[in-house]
Amino acid sequence: ERAEKGLNDRFARILAESIVHVEPINNLIVVNTLTASANAAGEAIDSMKWSEVAGTIAGDNTLLIITRSEEAAESLMMKFNSLLNN
């Protein structure tokens, strides 16, 4: 359990350091990252196993997050805002 928490902390740092901009669109969230960071950010999100996330698709500097509903996207946006403001 402690090891998993350590991994989640590391994934949170990866996300916070690579995200440039986050924009919700209905049940989708578009995440712009630093160049060549979208795959790492996507892996971090997938590994965190957030219930709101149905899946992710990563390019070079853009990550598309598909959420289960618009409400799930709003909830996930609150998580991102919290993460980015720390």
Side-chain angles (χ1 to χ4, degrees), residues 2 5-6 8-10 22 32 35 37 39-40 43-45 48-49 51-52 57-58 60-61 63 65 72 80 84 86:
R2 250 190 320 192
K5 183 185 178 339
N8 280 344
D9 290 345
R10 189 177 297 173
V22 181
N32 299 106
T35 301
S37 296
N39 279 319
E43 178 64 24
I45 290 169
M48 293 177 92
K49 297 181 175 123
S51 62
E52 298 90 346
I57 301 171
D60 183 53
N61 66 346
L63 173 67
I65 302 171
F80 276 124
L84 296 175
N86 283 334

Side-chain angles (χ1 to χ4, degrees), residues 67-83:
T67 64
R68 301 185 186 286
S69 66
E70 287 186 37
E71 293 79 18
E74 290 173 17
S75 173
L76 193 55
M77 282 300 298
M78 286 190 277
K79 288 181 180 180
F80 276 124
N81 290 333
S82 174
L83 183 71

Side-chain angles (χ1 to χ4, degrees), residues 3-23:
E4 189 169 317
K5 183 185 178 339
L7 276 177
N8 280 344
D9 290 345
R10 189 177 297 173
F11 288 134
R13 273 195 311 278
I14 290 170
L15 281 174
E17 292 176 7
S18 64
I19 291 175
V20 174
H21 179 74
V22 181
E23 181 178 356

